[in-house]
Amino acid sequence: MKALLLIDVQNDFMPGGALAVPDGDTIVPIINKLQHQFDLVLATQDWHPEGHASFASKHGKNVYEVIDLNGIDQVMWPDHCVQGSKGADFHPELKLDKIEAIFRKGTNPEIDSYSGFYDNAHLKSTGLSGYLKEKGVTDLYFAGLAGDFCVAFSVKDALAEGFAAFLIEDATRAIDAEGFKKAKAEIVEKGGTILNADEV
Ligand code: VGL
Ligand code: ZN
């Protein structure tokens, strides 16, 4: 059974948003067209409390600086996807009618969570893996933002959880091209597949 997991298709990751991914909005029509090809469509939502530990403003740091946060490298992000804010909403054009469940992440104020499965220290599960297994999902397809962060981390966790994982490259955009290239190589090395929407 194959499922589509939409990662963080939220206003703050769109052009004009707080943590804009270049051309992030161009994936929305592609994702909308893709949805009917899947038995199950799910989404993640980055959902941070105010003053989250990943926010540069919290530490008086410069944005995009990397700090050590409890032993883990943490990029200092602009304040983004604050719970209940307009920036945390899904893109207004994203079709929502097929999305059966939304997994929120980044809610713990002390730790970031790029993956839809686990926080960055792999301490706490969102329950996504168990949900998918109960539904009988074997093949998991990924689209959304950002390719080099939350999408890549989710794909790698999916592979580690035993799912066949497929990254739909033209239905994602990255913050940093070089980082995304590295992430894709890692995904392929771990047994994942990179493909385009017309190959789904
Ligand atoms: C993301 C940075 C911080 C993402 C979320 O969705 O890729 N990136 N929070
Ligand atoms: Zn975030």
Side-chain angles (χ1 to χ4, degrees), residues 154-169:
S154 298
V155 173
K156 285 188 266 180
D157 275 351
L159 291 166
E161 292 291 322
F163 298 100
F166 302 83
L167 170 52
I168 310 170
E169 194 170 14

Side-chain angles (χ1 to χ4, degrees), residues 45-160:
Q45 191 172 25
D46 211 35
W47 194 249
H48 299 306
E50 275 179 39
H52 189 257
S54 72
F55 295 173
S57 61
K58 164 86 178 174
H59 308 272
K61 297 285 183 186
N62 295 319
V63 163
Y64 303 119
E65 199 176 317
V66 179
I67 68 160
D68 179 296
L69 185 65
N70 304 313
I72 299 174
D73 278 358
Q74 175 66 54
V75 180
M76 294 283 86
W77 301 112
D79 290 21
H80 66 279
C81 296
V82 171
Q83 297 171 356
S85 68
K86 189 116 205 319
D89 280 350
F90 291 119
H91 186 286
E93 316 255 285
L94 179 68
K95 282 188 61 178
L96 303 175
D97 53 296
K98 275 208 63 144
I99 299 175
E100 290 194 30
I102 297 164
F103 288 81
R104 286 178 167 159
K105 60 189 183 62
T107 54
N108 181 333
E110 307 298 334
I111 188 162
D112 212 356
S113 190
Y114 293 148
S115 160
F117 292 90
Y118 293 97
D119 62 77
N120 289 4
H122 263 245
L123 292 174
K124 200 168 157 240
S125 160
T126 60
L128 175 58
S129 186
Y131 177 98
L132 293 168
K133 285 170 184 166
E134 186 180 320
K135 291 277 185 186
V137 173
T138 50
D139 296 7
L140 198 49
Y141 288 72
F142 290 86
L145 302 170
D148 44 344
F149 285 91
C150 292
V151 177
F153 275 64
S154 298
V155 173
K156 285 188 266 180
D157 275 351
L159 291 166

